């Protein structure tokens, strides 16, 4: 059977610390091999360790970045440094003209650049804050408009409901009017029938009275004849 390989936290921490130290050492070594021209205005780069040697690169200005190759002393015990410029040209220069850090002017430029970046960042932050404030105002305005729309919608709903109620009420009244009109028509028809019946009855009564009058006159005439005949006898 194979055993599982487990790394303890202490071993892992030691490995991480070792890796960090190696990276730091390499960075320090790289920085140690970097030199800068001091605040002297112009410094020549010579072919050998002598003030009379050929100048291979002239007028190196203050703050020029150079890569240090090695340092040696000449016959007068003056220390010289073999350096390489950024364009690849190698030559010798007195170590008194070299410093381990950038010059004050370069530092000032860096500080100014950092200040410019900070100022730009501050301006951007201010602009973002203004934009955020404006967005907040716009958001509040939109909320108010939305609330107004909700209120208007509720009002429209109430108005629509009232209109529907009115329409239903009008429909109901219209139906009632139709029913009443139908009843009126029926009553009128019944009234006409009653009128016709009354006229018929009156005609019948009149005819009966007329017939009765005629019969009565005949009877009276007959009685009168009988009376006269009896008197004659």
């Amino acid at each position: 059977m194979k055993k599982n390989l487990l790394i303890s936290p202490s071993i892992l921490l030691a490995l991480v610390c070792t890796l960090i130290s190696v990276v730091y050492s390499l960075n320090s070594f790289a920085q140690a091999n970097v030199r800068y021209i001091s605040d002297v205005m112009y410094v020549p780069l010579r072919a050998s360790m002598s003030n009379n040697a050929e100048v291979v690169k002239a007028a190196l200005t203050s703050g020029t970045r150079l890569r240090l190759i090695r340092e040696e002393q000449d016959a007068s015990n003056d220390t010289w440094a073999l350096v390489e410029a950024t364009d690849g040209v190698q030559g010798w220069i007195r170590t008194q003209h070299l410093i381990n850090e950038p010059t004050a002017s370069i530092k000032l430029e860096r500080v100014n650049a950092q200040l410019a970046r900070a100022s730009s960042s501050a301006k951007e932050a201010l602009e973002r804050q203004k934009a955020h404030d404006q967005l907040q105002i716009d958001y509040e305005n939109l909320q108010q408009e939305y609330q107004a729309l909700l209120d208007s919608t509720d009002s429209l709903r109430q108005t629509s409901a009232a209109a529907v109620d009115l329409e239903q009420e009008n429909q109901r009244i219209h139906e009632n009017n139709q029913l009443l009109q139908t009843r009126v028509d029926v009553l009128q028809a019944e009234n006409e029938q009653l009128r016709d019946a009354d006229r018929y009855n009156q005609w019948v009564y009149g005819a009966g009275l007329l017939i009765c009058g005629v019969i009565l006159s005949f009877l009276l005439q007959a009685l009168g004849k009988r009376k006269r005949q009896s008197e004659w006898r």
Side-chain angles (χ1 to χ4, degrees):
M1 297 178 64
K2 295 182 179 180
K3 294 183 179 180
N4 294 328
L5 296 177
L6 298 176
I7 300 176
S8 63
S10 59
I11 296 175
L12 182 60
L13 180 60
L15 290 175
V16 172
C17 293
T18 303
L19 180 60
I20 293 174
S21 62
V22 171
V23 172
Y24 181 77
S25 299
L26 291 175
N27 188 22
S28 299
F29 178 76
Q31 292 293 331
N33 288 334
V34 175
R35 294 294 186 270
Y36 295 88
I37 296 295
S38 65
D39 288 336
V40 177
M41 293 301 295
Y42 297 99
V43 178
L45 193 62
R46 299 185 181 276
S48 62
M49 294 184 295
S50 174
N51 292 327
N52 298 322
E54 178 186 0
V55 176
V56 295
K57 190 174 183 63
L60 294 177
T61 58
S62 300
T64 300
R65 193 173 187 272
L66 300 173
R67 185 177 70 88
L68 176 64
I69 299 175
R70 66 177 184 273
E71 293 181 354
E72 294 183 7
Q73 290 183 346
D74 59 8
S76 302
N77 292 327
D78 293 329
T79 304
W80 290 75
L82 179 62
V83 295
E84 182 180 359
T86 55
D87 57 0
V89 177
Q90 295 183 1
W92 293 89
I93 190 173
R94 296 283 293 273
T95 55
Q96 65 183 11
H97 300 309
L98 298 177
I99 56 176
N100 294 329
E101 296 180 355
T103 60
S105 60
I106 294 178
K107 292 182 179 179
L108 181 60
E109 291 177 359
R110 292 180 179 177
V111 170
N112 290 333
Q114 291 176 357
L115 289 176
R117 288 193 296 269
S119 177
S120 178
S121 300
K123 289 181 180 179
E124 291 179 358
L126 182 60
E127 292 177 356
R128 290 177 181 176
Q129 183 64 35
K130 290 181 179 179
H132 178 268
D133 295 340
Q134 185 62 40
L135 288 175
Q136 184 67 27
I137 294 173
D138 295 339
Y139 174 73
E140 292 176 356
N141 292 333
L142 287 175
Q143 279 189 331
Q144 293 178 358
E145 293 178 1
Y146 176 72
Q147 186 63 39
L149 287 175
L150 288 179
D151 296 339
S152 177
T153 302
D154 292 338
S155 178
L156 289 175
R157 288 177 179 174
Q158 294 176 0
T159 303
S160 300
V164 170
D165 294 338
L166 289 175
E167 182 64 24
Q168 293 177 352
E169 184 67 19
N170 290 332
Q171 185 68 25
R172 187 180 64 80
I173 292 173
H174 181 69
E175 292 175 356
N176 292 333
N177 288 334
Q178 288 182 346
L179 291 175
L180 291 175
Q181 185 64 37
T182 302
R183 291 179 182 177
V184 169
D185 294 338
V186 171
L187 291 175
Q188 287 180 352
E190 292 177 353
N191 191 17
E192 290 293 334
Q193 290 178 359
L194 290 174
R195 287 179 182 178
D196 294 339
D198 290 340
R199 289 175 184 174
Y200 177 77
N201 291 331
Q202 290 177 1
W203 182 81
V204 171
Y205 291 157
L209 290 175
L210 180 61
I211 292 171
C212 290
V214 172
I215 294 172
L216 182 60
S217 66
F218 286 152
L219 290 174
L220 291 175
Q221 289 179 3
L223 290 174
K225 288 181 180 181
R226 290 179 181 179
K227 186 177 179 181
R228 283 194 299 271
Q229 289 178 359
S230 63
E231 290 179 352
W232 289 343
R233 289 178 183 175

